[in-house]
Amino acid sequence: MFSEEEWNEAWKHPLLEARLEGLGPREVGKVRDMYRVGDLRVLVATDRISAFDRVLGAVPFRGQVLNQLAAWWFEATRDLVANHVVSVPDPNVTIAREAEPLPVEVIVRGYITGSTTTSLWYLYERGERAPYGVPLPEGLAKNDPLPEPIITPTTKAAPGEHDERLTAAEVTERGLVEPALWARVQQVALELFSRGQEVARQGGLVLVDTKYEFGLQGGELVLIDEVHTPDSSRYWDLAAYQRGEIVHYDKEHLRLWYAARGFRGEGEPPPLAPELARELAQLYVTVFERLTGARFEPGEPPAEPRIQRNVERALAELGVGRG
């Protein structure tokens, strides 16, 4: 865990954006800044945090945790599927090989939970017994484990729009993914989820559900974006769950804080309180340490000049000309 001194320094210098020189135009996502250099992408994980399709503020260490945790998982799952990572030259940066993304987000769920209109529990509670085309038994209670993990795909919506839920059959019926490739994607997703649940349990966590994104490189399937982070996954504390309590170790902590104050995406959100930012930072770092078994080491502040140096060095070592 970070020290009081490290927190105070990080609070003064959150990584809100990464304006890197000599890399061409900056592409800005909700929480990442990206540069294209040849067939590579320089992906910078900032400390911006989003929910309800809105950027709500900044949480120090968030970008570093997500980048380093995703890098750890990419390496820990190479035996299951290849991925897009070329190098991780900085705590906040991944350099990835360009891939052609599949137009489907693959969500794997191990438990029946949630409160949004697309969640399994919302649909099940209202009498739907085959949400996303997957038959579920009678008698399930909220937060119960499913008989086995299921895949609930969605479309990948354009910015500002919402994903559309699909059945697994609709993915091929609509021509979104070719049948043999979709079969491979589903197999790999379930294998990844099983690995994730095993590692999480060893770290005293429950991997409840998660999102995977896949792409193609030279016709080969690769895992892209991020994997098993507290932003792309739902984690619960294992000991609390075994006592019948739900303690969130993911971005749900942020959503619940805002929902309790009446904000669910409409109107002007309340400012992200400093105490909430610290709680979230501690939560993210705890997940990192429990999953990896390593101590979190904050990167040298301020982050932006450090990132510039490390990216320049990495691209030079790769023999890639800058934009």
Side-chain angles (χ1 to χ4, degrees), residues 167-198:
T167 67
E170 285 174 328
V171 173
T172 54
E173 289 169 359
R174 293 191 187 187
L176 297 172
V177 183
E178 181 267 331
L181 177 59
W182 178 235
R184 169 69 174 147
V185 166
Q186 293 179 92
Q187 174 195 349
V188 169
L190 292 172
E191 290 174 351
L192 288 167
F193 190 70
S194 177
R195 177 75 54 83
Q197 286 196 310
E198 177 185 348

mmCIF file of all heavy atoms in Angstrom, residues 167-198:
data_model
loop_
_atom_site.group_PDB
_atom_site.id
_atom_site.type_symbol
_atom_site.label_atom_id
_atom_site.label_comp_id
_atom_site.label_asym_id
_atom_site.label_seq_id
_atom_site.Cartn_x
_atom_site.Cartn_y
_atom_site.Cartn_z
ATOM 1 N N THR A 167 -27.665 -12.281 -27.855
ATOM 2 C CA THR A 167 -27.468 -13.678 -27.495
ATOM 3 C C THR A 167 -26.220 -14.168 -28.229
ATOM 4 O O THR A 167 -25.782 -13.561 -29.215
ATOM 5 C CB THR A 167 -28.668 -14.538 -27.901
ATOM 6 O OG1 THR A 167 -28.744 -14.572 -29.339
ATOM 7 C CG2 THR A 167 -29.968 -13.975 -27.341
ATOM 8 N N ALA A 168 -25.656 -15.264 -27.745
ATOM 9 C CA ALA A 168 -24.485 -15.817 -28.417
ATOM 10 C C ALA A 168 -24.809 -16.186 -29.862
ATOM 11 O O ALA A 168 -23.988 -16.014 -30.769
ATOM 12 C CB ALA A 168 -23.966 -17.030 -27.647
ATOM 13 N N ALA A 169 -26.031 -16.683 -30.097
ATOM 14 C CA ALA A 169 -26.429 -17.067 -31.450
ATOM 15 C C ALA A 169 -26.505 -15.855 -32.372
ATOM 16 O O ALA A 169 -26.147 -15.936 -33.559
ATOM 17 C CB ALA A 169 -27.772 -17.794 -31.418
ATOM 18 N N GLU A 170 -26.959 -14.719 -31.842
ATOM 19 C CA GLU A 170 -27.096 -13.521 -32.676
ATOM 20 C C GLU A 170 -25.756 -12.998 -33.182
ATOM 21 O O GLU A 170 -25.694 -12.325 -34.209
ATOM 22 C CB GLU A 170 -27.826 -12.425 -31.898
ATOM 23 C CG GLU A 170 -29.320 -12.650 -31.755
ATOM 24 C CD GLU A 170 -29.985 -11.630 -30.862
ATOM 25 O OE1 GLU A 170 -29.337 -11.151 -29.903
ATOM 26 O OE2 GLU A 170 -31.164 -11.310 -31.124
ATOM 27 N N VAL A 171 -24.685 -13.293 -32.457
ATOM 28 C CA VAL A 171 -23.362 -12.834 -32.901
ATOM 29 C C VAL A 171 -23.047 -13.358 -34.296
ATOM 30 O O VAL A 171 -22.555 -12.624 -35.161
ATOM 31 C CB VAL A 171 -22.281 -13.262 -31.894
ATOM 32 C CG1 VAL A 171 -20.887 -12.954 -32.433
ATOM 33 C CG2 VAL A 171 -22.496 -12.573 -30.556
ATOM 34 N N THR A 172 -23.365 -14.640 -34.530
ATOM 35 C CA THR A 172 -23.104 -15.212 -35.856
ATOM 36 C C THR A 172 -24.270 -14.971 -36.811
ATOM 37 O O THR A 172 -24.057 -14.764 -38.008
ATOM 38 C CB THR A 172 -22.826 -16.717 -35.746
ATOM 39 O OG1 THR A 172 -23.896 -17.361 -35.044
ATOM 40 C CG2 THR A 172 -21.531 -16.955 -34.987
ATOM 41 N N GLU A 173 -25.495 -14.962 -36.290
ATOM 42 C CA GLU A 173 -26.656 -14.736 -37.163
ATOM 43 C C GLU A 173 -26.598 -13.366 -37.829
ATOM 44 O O GLU A 173 -27.004 -13.192 -38.973
ATOM 45 C CB GLU A 173 -27.954 -14.857 -36.357
ATOM 46 C CG GLU A 173 -28.272 -16.290 -35.937
ATOM 47 C CD GLU A 173 -29.401 -16.351 -34.919
ATOM 48 O OE1 GLU A 173 -29.923 -15.270 -34.533
ATOM 49 O OE2 GLU A 173 -29.755 -17.475 -34.491
ATOM 50 N N ARG A 174 -26.083 -12.385 -37.114
ATOM 51 C CA ARG A 174 -25.969 -11.035 -37.671
ATOM 52 C C ARG A 174 -24.694 -10.848 -38.488
ATOM 53 O O ARG A 174 -24.455 -9.775 -39.033
ATOM 54 C CB ARG A 174 -25.987 -10.002 -36.542
ATOM 55 C CG ARG A 174 -27.294 -9.903 -35.796
ATOM 56 C CD ARG A 174 -27.257 -8.685 -34.914
ATOM 57 N NE ARG A 174 -28.419 -8.582 -34.032
ATOM 58 C CZ ARG A 174 -28.652 -7.522 -33.264
ATOM 59 N NH1 ARG A 174 -27.821 -6.491 -33.269
ATOM 60 N NH2 ARG A 174 -29.728 -7.492 -32.497
ATOM 61 N N GLY A 175 -23.866 -11.874 -38.528
ATOM 62 C CA GLY A 175 -22.620 -11.773 -39.284
ATOM 63 C C GLY A 175 -21.559 -10.939 -38.598
ATOM 64 O O GLY A 175 -20.619 -10.459 -39.247
ATOM 65 N N LEU A 176 -21.673 -10.761 -37.270
ATOM 66 C CA LEU A 176 -20.685 -9.957 -36.550
ATOM 67 C C LEU A 176 -19.348 -10.677 -36.440
ATOM 68 O O LEU A 176 -18.289 -10.062 -36.556
ATOM 69 C CB LEU A 176 -21.215 -9.611 -35.155
ATOM 70 C CG LEU A 176 -22.479 -8.747 -35.117
ATOM 71 C CD1 LEU A 176 -23.021 -8.633 -33.696
ATOM 72 C CD2 LEU A 176 -22.183 -7.363 -35.687
ATOM 73 N N VAL A 177 -19.408 -11.982 -36.197
ATOM 74 C CA VAL A 177 -18.202 -12.809 -36.097
ATOM 75 C C VAL A 177 -18.483 -14.138 -36.782
ATOM 76 O O VAL A 177 -19.559 -14.725 -36.586
ATOM 77 C CB VAL A 177 -17.785 -13.053 -34.624
ATOM 78 C CG1 VAL A 177 -16.485 -13.861 -34.561
ATOM 79 C CG2 VAL A 177 -17.613 -11.728 -33.877
ATOM 80 N N GLU A 178 -17.516 -14.604 -37.541
ATOM 81 C CA GLU A 178 -17.656 -15.874 -38.272
ATOM 82 C C GLU A 178 -17.782 -17.036 -37.272
ATOM 83 O O GLU A 178 -17.149 -17.030 -36.215
ATOM 84 C CB GLU A 178 -16.423 -16.030 -39.177
ATOM 85 C CG GLU A 178 -16.408 -17.265 -40.020
ATOM 86 C CD GLU A 178 -15.660 -18.395 -39.329
ATOM 87 O OE1 GLU A 178 -14.741 -18.139 -38.527
ATOM 88 O OE2 GLU A 178 -16.024 -19.548 -39.615
ATOM 89 N N PRO A 179 -18.646 -18.046 -37.545
ATOM 90 C CA PRO A 179 -18.968 -19.074 -36.546
ATOM 91 C C PRO A 179 -17.769 -19.782 -35.912
ATOM 92 O O PRO A 179 -17.724 -19.942 -34.691
ATOM 93 C CB PRO A 179 -19.851 -20.052 -37.323
ATOM 94 C CG PRO A 179 -20.521 -19.205 -38.359
ATOM 95 C CD PRO A 179 -19.491 -18.187 -38.755
ATOM 96 N N ALA A 180 -16.802 -20.197 -36.700
ATOM 97 C CA ALA A 180 -15.659 -20.914 -36.125
ATOM 98 C C ALA A 180 -14.849 -20.007 -35.210
ATOM 99 O O ALA A 180 -14.388 -20.424 -34.134
ATOM 100 C CB ALA A 180 -14.777 -21.477 -37.234
ATOM 101 N N LEU A 181 -14.688 -18.759 -35.614
ATOM 102 C CA LEU A 181 -13.955 -17.806 -34.782
ATOM 103 C C LEU A 181 -14.725 -17.516 -33.501
ATOM 104 O O LEU A 181 -14.143 -17.440 -32.413
ATOM 105 C CB LEU A 181 -13.706 -16.515 -35.560
ATOM 106 C CG LEU A 181 -13.013 -15.386 -34.787
ATOM 107 C CD1 LEU A 181 -11.658 -15.830 -34.263
ATOM 108 C CD2 LEU A 181 -12.873 -14.137 -35.681
ATOM 109 N N TRP A 182 -16.045 -17.373 -33.590
ATOM 110 C CA TRP A 182 -16.850 -17.110 -32.407
ATOM 111 C C TRP A 182 -16.789 -18.278 -31.425
ATOM 112 O O TRP A 182 -16.730 -18.075 -30.205
ATOM 113 C CB TRP A 182 -18.288 -16.801 -32.804
ATOM 114 C CG TRP A 182 -19.227 -16.554 -31.666
ATOM 115 C CD1 TRP A 182 -20.397 -17.195 -31.413
ATOM 116 C CD2 TRP A 182 -19.073 -15.592 -30.615
ATOM 117 N NE1 TRP A 182 -20.989 -16.689 -30.282
ATOM 118 C CE2 TRP A 182 -20.206 -15.708 -29.758
ATOM 119 C CE3 TRP A 182 -18.100 -14.647 -30.309
ATOM 120 C CZ2 TRP A 182 -20.372 -14.919 -28.630
ATOM 121 C CZ3 TRP A 182 -18.269 -13.857 -29.169
ATOM 122 C CH2 TRP A 182 -19.386 -14.001 -28.350
ATOM 123 N N ALA A 183 -16.762 -19.490 -31.939
ATOM 124 C CA ALA A 183 -16.618 -20.652 -31.061
ATOM 125 C C ALA A 183 -15.295 -20.605 -30.311
ATOM 126 O O ALA A 183 -15.220 -20.895 -29.105
ATOM 127 C CB ALA A 183 -16.724 -21.940 -31.883
ATOM 128 N N ARG A 184 -14.239 -20.215 -31.018
ATOM 129 C CA ARG A 184 -12.915 -20.087 -30.394
ATOM 130 C C ARG A 184 -12.918 -18.972 -29.343
ATOM 131 O O ARG A 184 -12.377 -19.131 -28.245
ATOM 132 C CB ARG A 184 -11.882 -19.811 -31.479
ATOM 133 C CG ARG A 184 -10.502 -19.387 -31.001
ATOM 134 C CD ARG A 184 -9.756 -20.495 -30.316
ATOM 135 N NE ARG A 184 -8.398 -20.093 -30.009
ATOM 136 C CZ ARG A 184 -7.714 -20.504 -28.944
ATOM 137 N NH1 ARG A 184 -8.271 -21.353 -28.095
ATOM 138 N NH2 ARG A 184 -6.489 -20.094 -28.722
ATOM 139 N N VAL A 185 -13.543 -17.838 -29.667
ATOM 140 C CA VAL A 185 -13.622 -16.724 -28.729
ATOM 141 C C VAL A 185 -14.308 -17.156 -27.440
ATOM 142 O O VAL A 185 -13.835 -16.863 -26.329
ATOM 143 C CB VAL A 185 -14.374 -15.535 -29.370
ATOM 144 C CG1 VAL A 185 -14.773 -14.507 -28.308
ATOM 145 C CG2 VAL A 185 -13.514 -14.870 -30.443
ATOM 146 N N GLN A 186 -15.427 -17.850 -27.551
ATOM 147 C CA GLN A 186 -16.154 -18.278 -26.358
ATOM 148 C C GLN A 186 -15.331 -19.251 -25.520
ATOM 149 O O GLN A 186 -15.316 -19.167 -24.284
ATOM 150 C CB GLN A 186 -17.478 -18.918 -26.769
ATOM 151 C CG GLN A 186 -18.461 -17.942 -27.386
ATOM 152 C CD GLN A 186 -19.745 -18.632 -27.786
ATOM 153 O OE1 GLN A 186 -20.697 -18.688 -27.012
ATOM 154 N NE2 GLN A 186 -19.785 -19.179 -28.991
ATOM 155 N N GLN A 187 -14.649 -20.176 -26.176
ATOM 156 C CA GLN A 187 -13.805 -21.127 -25.450
ATOM 157 C C GLN A 187 -12.711 -20.400 -24.677
ATOM 158 O O GLN A 187 -12.496 -20.653 -23.480
ATOM 159 C CB GLN A 187 -13.178 -22.118 -26.438
ATOM 160 C CG GLN A 187 -12.167 -23.059 -25.796
ATOM 161 C CD GLN A 187 -11.301 -23.772 -26.831
ATOM 162 O OE1 GLN A 187 -11.555 -23.731 -28.022
ATOM 163 N NE2 GLN A 187 -10.246 -24.404 -26.366
ATOM 164 N N VAL A 188 -12.039 -19.470 -25.351
ATOM 165 C CA VAL A 188 -10.946 -18.735 -24.713
ATOM 166 C C VAL A 188 -11.472 -17.875 -23.569
ATOM 167 O O VAL A 188 -10.864 -17.796 -22.495
ATOM 168 C CB VAL A 188 -10.207 -17.865 -25.754
ATOM 169 C CG1 VAL A 188 -9.258 -16.887 -25.067
ATOM 170 C CG2 VAL A 188 -9.432 -18.743 -26.725
ATOM 171 N N ALA A 189 -12.620 -17.221 -23.776
ATOM 172 C CA ALA A 189 -13.178 -16.359 -22.734
ATOM 173 C C ALA A 189 -13.470 -17.153 -21.464
ATOM 174 O O ALA A 189 -13.183 -16.687 -20.346
ATOM 175 C CB ALA A 189 -14.440 -15.684 -23.251
ATOM 176 N N LEU A 190 -14.033 -18.341 -21.603
ATOM 177 C CA LEU A 190 -14.328 -19.159 -20.428
ATOM 178 C C LEU A 190 -13.051 -19.655 -19.753
ATOM 179 O O LEU A 190 -12.979 -19.752 -18.521
ATOM 180 C CB LEU A 190 -15.232 -20.333 -20.816
ATOM 181 C CG LEU A 190 -16.658 -19.950 -21.234
ATOM 182 C CD1 LEU A 190 -17.400 -21.163 -21.773
ATOM 183 C CD2 LEU A 190 -17.426 -19.324 -20.070
ATOM 184 N N GLU A 191 -12.029 -19.958 -20.545
ATOM 185 C CA GLU A 191 -10.747 -20.364 -19.973
ATOM 186 C C GLU A 191 -10.100 -19.209 -19.216
ATOM 187 O O GLU A 191 -9.545 -19.391 -18.125
ATOM 188 C CB GLU A 191 -9.816 -20.863 -21.080
ATOM 189 C CG GLU A 191 -10.238 -22.193 -21.688
ATOM 190 C CD GLU A 191 -9.384 -22.586 -22.886
ATOM 191 O OE1 GLU A 191 -8.571 -21.749 -23.350
ATOM 192 O OE2 GLU A 191 -9.527 -23.734 -23.358
ATOM 193 N N LEU A 192 -10.156 -18.009 -19.782
ATOM 194 C CA LEU A 192 -9.619 -16.827 -19.111
ATOM 195 C C LEU A 192 -10.347 -16.571 -17.796
ATOM 196 O O LEU A 192 -9.727 -16.262 -16.772
ATOM 197 C CB LEU A 192 -9.742 -15.601 -20.017
ATOM 198 C CG LEU A 192 -8.813 -15.520 -21.221
ATOM 199 C CD1 LEU A 192 -9.278 -14.418 -22.166
ATOM 200 C CD2 LEU A 192 -7.372 -15.261 -20.775
ATOM 201 N N PHE A 193 -11.663 -16.707 -17.825
ATOM 202 C CA PHE A 193 -12.457 -16.442 -16.635
ATOM 203 C C PHE A 193 -12.146 -17.469 -15.541
ATOM 204 O O PHE A 193 -12.022 -17.117 -14.361
ATOM 205 C CB PHE A 193 -13.942 -16.473 -16.985
ATOM 206 C CG PHE A 193 -14.837 -15.972 -15.893
ATOM 207 C CD1 PHE A 193 -14.860 -14.634 -15.549
ATOM 208 C CD2 PHE A 193 -15.668 -16.843 -15.205
ATOM 209 C CE1 PHE A 193 -15.697 -14.161 -14.537
ATOM 210 C CE2 PHE A 193 -16.504 -16.386 -14.196
ATOM 211 C CZ PHE A 193 -16.516 -15.042 -13.867
ATOM 212 N N SER A 194 -11.993 -18.719 -15.929
ATOM 213 C CA SER A 194 -11.649 -19.751 -14.959
ATOM 214 C C SER A 194 -10.295 -19.453 -14.308
ATOM 215 O O SER A 194 -10.141 -19.563 -13.082
ATOM 216 C CB SER A 194 -11.617 -21.124 -15.636
ATOM 217 O OG SER A 194 -11.216 -22.130 -14.732
ATOM 218 N N ARG A 195 -9.315 -19.050 -15.125
ATOM 219 C CA ARG A 195 -8.005 -18.677 -14.593
ATOM 220 C C ARG A 195 -8.147 -17.476 -13.656
ATOM 221 O O ARG A 195 -7.550 -17.442 -12.582
ATOM 222 C CB ARG A 195 -7.076 -18.350 -15.764
ATOM 223 C CG ARG A 195 -5.667 -17.865 -15.386
ATOM 224 C CD ARG A 195 -4.758 -18.971 -14.896
ATOM 225 N NE ARG A 195 -4.666 -20.079 -15.834
ATOM 226 C CZ ARG A 195 -3.857 -20.127 -16.906
ATOM 227 N NH1 ARG A 195 -3.080 -19.099 -17.185
ATOM 228 N NH2 ARG A 195 -3.813 -21.201 -17.676
ATOM 229 N N GLY A 196 -8.938 -16.494 -14.068
ATOM 230 C CA GLY A 196 -9.132 -15.310 -13.248
ATOM 231 C C GLY A 196 -9.775 -15.623 -11.912
ATOM 232 O O GLY A 196 -9.376 -15.090 -10.869
ATOM 233 N N GLN A 197 -10.788 -16.484 -11.918
ATOM 234 C CA GLN A 197 -11.454 -16.849 -10.665
ATOM 235 C C GLN A 197 -10.499 -17.580 -9.719
ATOM 236 O O GLN A 197 -10.523 -17.357 -8.508
ATOM 237 C CB GLN A 197 -12.676 -17.719 -10.957
ATOM 238 C CG GLN A 197 -13.857 -16.951 -11.532
ATOM 239 C CD GLN A 197 -15.147 -17.734 -11.447
ATOM 240 O OE1 GLN A 197 -15.208 -18.887 -11.845
ATOM 241 N NE2 GLN A 197 -16.191 -17.114 -10.917
ATOM 242 N N GLU A 198 -9.664 -18.436 -10.283
ATOM 243 C CA GLU A 198 -8.710 -19.191 -9.464
ATOM 244 C C GLU A 198 -7.712 -18.255 -8.785
ATOM 245 O O GLU A 198 -7.463 -18.348 -7.573
ATOM 246 C CB GLU A 198 -7.975 -20.200 -10.351
ATOM 247 C CG GLU A 198 -6.911 -21.004 -9.642
ATOM 248 C CD GLU A 198 -6.129 -21.894 -10.609
ATOM 249 O OE1 GLU A 198 -6.558 -22.055 -11.771
ATOM 250 O OE2 GLU A 198 -5.079 -22.407 -10.200
#
